[in-house]
Amino acid sequence: MAKVIDNPLLQVLRGKIGNLVFRRMPDGNTYVSKKHDFSRRIFSQGQKDHQSRFRQAAMYAGEASKSQPIYAELSKGTILSPYNLALSDWFHPPVIHEVEWKQGRIRVRASDKVGVAGVGVMISGVKGKIAERGEAVRAQDDWWEYVPRTTGKLLVEARDLAGNVVSRGE
């Protein structure tokens, strides 16, 4: 890859001309390289699956970076754009760190790269039948709380803005 230095005409070029590709980097430098030939490339099924997931993530990021102000807010003062943050959020689900059932309250500590959008609680009774279902309320920091009306087997779910859901049973 060649670097364009002191040529005002070539420094403003971007894109493809013939077999040459002009790239303008974030630092302002322009690079020229030969166009790559991918015509004989055969993708594995895993690569095709990842490309499909990336297309879905790109569609989400394109819309969410404009409609969700949290992405713009978090990108301020960083080299990341709101689009980059939304794309990354789509690929990284939230994490449930702890689940406590003490003194008549269920406490869940969950975190996400951007933020946990909600925590759901489900309590099942005899034969796995759902006895109670509800939404936890954000308490302090990464903690969410729920006051159950019954006892049984516990399942908690944490969701993020991108729609990722993780669950943990206790």
Side-chain angles (χ1 to χ4, degrees), residues 23-39:
R23 289 188 179 93
R24 179 100 187 222
M25 305 310 255
D27 64 1
N29 289 322
T30 301
Y31 290 90
V32 182
S33 63
K34 183 180 144 194
K35 179 185 164 205
H36 295 287
D37 180 17
F38 294 110
S39 63

Side-chain angles (χ1 to χ4, degrees), residues 9 16 22 43 46 53-54 60 96 105 115 120 137 159 162 169:
L9 176 64
K16 183 177 75 165
F22 293 82
F43 295 108
R53 286 191 309 273
F54 197 88
Y60 168 77
I96 298 174
R105 288 187 310 174
V137 178
R159 299 176 305 280

Side-chain angles (χ1 to χ4, degrees), residues 38-55:
F38 294 110
S39 63
R40 288 170 273 171
R41 187 169 191 182
I42 299 171
F43 295 108
S44 70
Q45 188 58 47
Q47 288 172 317
K48 290 177 185 177
D49 292 345
H50 181 70
Q51 290 167 359
S52 175
R53 286 191 309 273
F54 197 88
R55 270 191 296 279

Side-chain angles (χ1 to χ4, degrees), residues 96-109 121 143-146 148 154 156 168 170:
I96 298 174
H97 301 283
E98 292 179 65
V99 177
E100 301 175 345
W101 195 332
K102 292 182 181 176
Q103 301 169 348
R105 288 187 310 174
I106 298 170
R107 290 175 33 96
V108 180
R109 188 168 66 91
V121 177
W143 286 97
W144 295 73
E145 292 185 353
Y146 181 78
L154 178 64
V156 295
R168 179 169 161 181
E170 292 291 315

Side-chain angles (χ1 to χ4, degrees), residues 149-165:
R149 296 181 306 271
T150 185
T151 59
K153 188 174 178 183
L154 178 64
L155 177 71
V156 295
E157 293 182 340
R159 299 176 305 280
D160 66 5
L161 285 174
N164 295 311
V165 178

